[in-house]
Amino acid sequence: AEYMGSSDTTTADGVTQTDTTTTTTTLGAPYTAQGCYANIGTSAGSRPVFYVKLVEKAGITVDQCYTNCAGYNFFGVINASQCACGQATTSTAAFDYTKYGSSTVCANGVGGKNAVDVYQRNY
C-alpha cells in the first residue's frame, strides 16, 4: 500500500511550495499457519470443526482457500479437496479447531484425511 501526502507552505515572498512525501507499507503474509488438527472426532455424532462455509474443489490450494474465505478470520484446507471458512476461536467450543487435538497426517499445507491445516487471516 502506498500513501502520498503533501503539504503546502507559503513563503514570505508569496510563493507556494509543495513538499510531497511517499510512504510505502509492506503488509506481510496475508495469513499465518496455525497447525494441523484432527477434523472429525472419534465419538458418534462428532462434527467437523468451524464450518460456516465449505467449498469443495479437488486440488484446492491454500491461496485459493484464503480467497474463498474472504470475510472469515480463520480458514482451513482438508485433504486438498475442501476449504472450510469460519470465525474459529479456542474460546468458543462450537468453533474450536483444536477440540479433537492435533494431527500428524497433514501434508504440504493442505490437510490430510480427517485432518485440517488451519490458517488465520492477517488481513
Side-chain angles (χ1 to χ4, degrees):
E2 195 171 273
Y3 170 76
M4 183 174 253
S6 65
S7 62
D8 292 337
T9 305
T10 303
T11 60
D13 60 0
V15 175
T16 301
Q17 295 176 328
T18 302
D19 295 323
T20 303
T21 56
T22 301
T23 304
T24 301
T25 304
T26 303
L27 297 175
Y31 50 82
T32 304
Q34 302 299 301
C36 177
Y37 292 91
N39 189 44
I40 298 177
T42 55
S43 63
S46 295
R47 299 183 54 87
V49 294
F50 79 82
Y51 288 177
V52 174
K53 175 182 175 183
L54 182 66
V55 176
E56 297 200 40
K57 178 184 177 197
I60 196 162
T61 67
V62 177
D63 287 339
Q64 289 169 335
C65 189
Y66 168 82
T67 299
N68 277 290
C69 291
Y72 296 95
N73 64 345
F74 280 80
F75 65 96
V77 182
I78 304 125
N79 209 27
S81 62
Q82 294 179 316
C83 169
C85 314
Q87 310 301 356
T89 66
T90 55
S91 61
T92 306
F95 297 122
D96 181 2
Y97 61 83
T98 67
K99 78 192 277 185
Y100 302 126
S102 62
S103 177
T104 59
V105 300
C106 293
N108 303 316
V110 291
K113 184 173 182 176
N114 295 329
V116 56
D117 263 311
V118 177
Y119 299 89
Q120 182 174 10
R121 295 180 74 87
N122 296 329
Y123 55 87

